[in-house]
């Protein structure tokens, strides 16, 4: 329940977002962000940068322990290896399907509008492609040779693999493992509390992240590439509001309006951080506590989705491919576009949800279909803003699939989903009860006296 001063965190985050955009636009359009100016040095790249970076780092800090604890307790919660396999299979199939639909629709929309025709390549900024991982190495790398290394690097697929294996092994050990089961359950609860603490500063952080990002955007570039930007945003909105919502309604029967309302906060986090991975703690919390997905499903589908499911990124790749192919006068033909769809679905498996990774995936797709990789330089300038929007679509896809899988597995709580106030964080959630403080002090004293 939202208590305290009466305003829910979502409302505060929303205000932070609007103020951040307004202040960012003011600085940008007012020409206050010139290199060397006070605002540029100390506000945008000083205060805003520090607050934003500290917040995103704090979120990233939570991801690994949170995923490990919640996934192991999720496996223990399912308690049945076959059911686990079903959750894995269904979510994988749905993630791939939604990504393929997303990019196919994007290509169709962009091609029928003929975007990119008549664009001058001279304006292209330099773009050098980075290596994207090959599918074979992606598969081999699911298995960590050293789990500490996987944790240190935040390698999500490896962490998921090892956590599931630990969960299954605990189940096999049975009764003797009871203390470990308790430890994991409590660890999960502690991590969830930590998410609440970090989220309390979210409104300020969202403000700082957005004010900085928008102040630094090359807004004049938006006008040059208006066709690309508008078609891409349109395709992203169609996917989020129409395609995904039809899939959600058909497969789970749940209300798209309620879903979208409850996802607002997560979308703002994704929008301001441009990273599905850093948003995992917030997505996981919302999917369990607001949408009513049981932790045994969400603890797997959310980190898995953040890693392999990127509908928004796929849409960008579809629109960008058509745009650049047209700009260079290359006719990819039906088979070329089919290769693009296949390649981008595969590329999404091997790349984590971090800022800007979509462009790396795009270069992989381009070299496969023979489009000039340096063409990506054309869209580089506007990618920062588009990355924010597509990341919000990416996390929405993860949550929608989580709901569908949970519903089909009977791991879904309709009451939580239907309660508009479920899972809201308020200031009161952060207060420590006096009796709890006393209880803990007693425990410590007892231990010390032993
Ligand atoms: N930033 C996106 C994400 O984290 C990936 C991308 O499209 O670059 O989901």
């Amino acid at each position: 329940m939202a208590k305290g001063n009466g305003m829910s965190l979502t409302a505060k985050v929303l205000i932070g977002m609007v103020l951040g955009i307004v202040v960012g636009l003011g600085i940008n359009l007012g020409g206050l962000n010139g290199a060397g100016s006070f605002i540029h040095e100390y506000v945008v790249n000083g205060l805003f940068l520090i607050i934003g970076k500290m917040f995103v780092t704090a979120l990233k800090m939570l991801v690994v322990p949170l995923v490990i604890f919640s996934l192991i307790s999720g496996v223990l919660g399912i308690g049945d290896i076959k059911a686990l396999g079903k959750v894995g299979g269904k979510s994988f199939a749905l993630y791939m399907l939604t990504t393929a639909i997303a990019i196919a629709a994007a290509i169709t929309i962009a091609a029928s509008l003929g975007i990119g025709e008549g664009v001058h390549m001279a304006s292209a900024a330099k773009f050098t492609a980075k290596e994207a991982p090959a599918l074979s190495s992606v598969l081999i790398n699911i298995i960590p040779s050293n789990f500490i290394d996987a944790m240190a690097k935040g390698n999500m697929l490896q962490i998921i693999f090892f956590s599931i294996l630990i969960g299954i092994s605990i189940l096999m050990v049975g009764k003797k493992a009871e203390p470990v089961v308790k430890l994991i359950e409590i660890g999960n609860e502690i991590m969830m509390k930590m998410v609440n603490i970090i989220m309390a500063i979210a409104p300020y952080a969202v403000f700082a992240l957005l004010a900085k990002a928008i102040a630094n955007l090359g807004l004049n570039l938006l006008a040059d590439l208006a066709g690309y930007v508008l078609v891409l945003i349109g395709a992203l909105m169609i996917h989020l509001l129409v395609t995904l919502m039809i899939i959600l309604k058909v497969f789970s029967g749940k209300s798209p309006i309620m879903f979208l309302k409850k996802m607002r906060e997560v979308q703002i986090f994704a929008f301001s951080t441009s990273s599905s991975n850093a948003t995992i703690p917030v997505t996981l919390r919302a999917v369990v506590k607001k949408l009513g997905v049981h932790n045994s499903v969400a603890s797997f589908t959310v980190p898995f989705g953040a890693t392999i499911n990127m509908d928004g990124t796929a849409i960008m790749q579809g629109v960008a491919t058509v745009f650049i192919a047209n700009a260079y006068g290359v006719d990819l033909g039906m088979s070329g576009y089919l290769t693009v769809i296949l390649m981008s679905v595969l590329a999404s498996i091997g790349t984590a949800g971090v800022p800007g990774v979509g462009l790396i995936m795009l270069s992989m797709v381009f070299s496969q279909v023979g489009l000039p990789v340096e063409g990506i330089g054309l869209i580089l300038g506007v990618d920062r803003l588009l990355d924010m929007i597509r990341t919000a679509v990416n996390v929405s896809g993860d949550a929608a699939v989580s709901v569908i899988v949970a519903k089909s597995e009977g791991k879904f709580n309709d009451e939580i989903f239907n309660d508009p106030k479920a899972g809201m964080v308020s200031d009161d959630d952060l207060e420590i009860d006096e009796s709890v403080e006393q209880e803990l002090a007693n425990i410590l004293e007892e231990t010390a006296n032993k």
Side-chain angles (χ1 to χ4, degrees), residues 5 13 35 98 111 141 162 165 360 362 444:
N5 62 12
V13 169
T98 47
N141 280 335
F162 194 69
L165 216 53
I360 300 177
L362 190 62
L444 283 177

Side-chain angles (χ1 to χ4, degrees), residues 167-206:
I168 294 174
S169 309
I170 294 176
L171 283 175
M172 289 165 88
V173 170
K175 182 110 184 79
K176 253 196 286 177
E178 208 180 307
V180 184
V181 174
K182 274 211 177 112
L183 178 85
I184 301 279
E185 296 297 339
I186 296 168
N188 190 26
E189 229 176 275
I190 294 174
M191 290 314 301
M192 276 293 184
K193 287 280 177 228
M194 226 190 260
V195 177
N196 283 355
I197 299 176
I198 306 290
M199 276 171 74
I201 55 156
Y204 312 99
V206 164

Side-chain angles (χ1 to χ4, degrees), residues 300-322:
F300 173 74
T301 52
V302 170
F304 192 45
T307 315
I308 73 157
N309 182 50
M310 295 180 197
D311 297 356
T313 305
I315 291 169
M316 176 277 282
Q317 293 178 25
V319 176
T321 305
V322 174

Side-chain angles (χ1 to χ4, degrees), residues 273-277 306 309-310 312-314 316 352-359 361 383 387-388 390-392 394-395:
T273 60
S274 290
S275 167
S276 314
N277 259 34
N309 182 50
M310 295 180 197
T313 305
M316 176 277 282
V354 293
V357 77
L359 288 186
M361 292 157 69
D383 198 64
D387 192 7
M388 295 161 75
R390 67 179 181 253
T391 307
N394 288 347
V395 296

Side-chain angles (χ1 to χ4, degrees), residues 7 11 51 61 143 171 181 202 215 224 237 242 246 251 257 275 283 302 307 313 356 377 384-385 402 411 443 450:
M7 202 188 274
I51 299 176
M61 164 187 88
I143 301 176
L171 283 175
V181 174
D224 292 345
M237 289 307 118
V242 183
I246 291 177
F251 285 103
I257 308 266
S275 167
T283 318
V302 170
T307 315
T313 305
R384 179 74 186 84
L385 173 74
S402 301
K411 299 277 181 199
I443 295 176
K450 260 184 198 163

Side-chain angles (χ1 to χ4, degrees), residues 94-278:
L94 277 167
Y95 282 147
M96 294 299 102
L97 181 75
T98 47
T99 307
I101 293 175
I103 183 166
I107 290 176
T108 313
I109 295 171
S112 59
L113 293 173
I115 61 159
E117 284 161 6
V119 167
H120 306 295
M121 269 92 62
S123 59
K126 243 189 131 33
F127 180 81
T128 1
K130 281 195 210 130
E131 257 326 273
L135 186 65
S136 56
S137 64
V138 170
L139 289 176
I140 296 168
N141 280 335
I142 290 177
I143 301 176
S145 61
N146 180 339
F147 188 55
I148 308 280
D149 184 58
M151 287 195 290
K153 297 208 169 99
N155 186 320
M156 213 36 73
L157 292 183
Q158 294 189 346
I159 291 172
I160 292 175
F161 179 83
F162 194 69
S163 303
I164 292 179
L165 216 53
I166 295 186
I168 294 174
S169 309
I170 294 176
L171 283 175
M172 289 165 88
V173 170
K175 182 110 184 79
K176 253 196 286 177
E178 208 180 307
V180 184
V181 174
K182 274 211 177 112
L183 178 85
I184 301 279
E185 296 297 339
I186 296 168
N188 190 26
E189 229 176 275
I190 294 174
M191 290 314 301
M192 276 293 184
K193 287 280 177 228
M194 226 190 260
V195 177
N196 283 355
I197 299 176
I198 306 290
M199 276 171 74
I201 55 156
Y204 312 99
V206 164
F207 167 81
L209 283 166
L210 289 179
K212 175 179 178 291
I214 309 262
N216 282 336
L217 277 185
L219 290 176
N220 47 340
L221 283 175
L222 285 182
D224 292 345
L225 288 166
Y228 169 71
V229 173
L230 290 179
V231 171
L232 178 45
I233 294 179
L236 286 168
M237 289 307 118
I238 291 175
H239 185 75
L240 172 66
L241 302 174
V242 183
T243 317
L244 265 183
M245 291 308 103
I246 291 177
I247 294 175
L248 176 78
K249 184 79 193 164
V250 169
F251 285 103
S252 77
K254 302 316 294 175
S255 150
I257 308 266
M258 190 60 112
F259 175 86
L260 287 172
K261 262 193 198 151
K262 294 194 165 197
M263 280 301 289
R264 218 161 29 195
E265 198 172 274
V266 182
Q267 287 164 344
I268 297 175
F269 271 79
F271 181 72
S272 18
T273 60
S274 290
S275 167
S276 314
N277 259 34

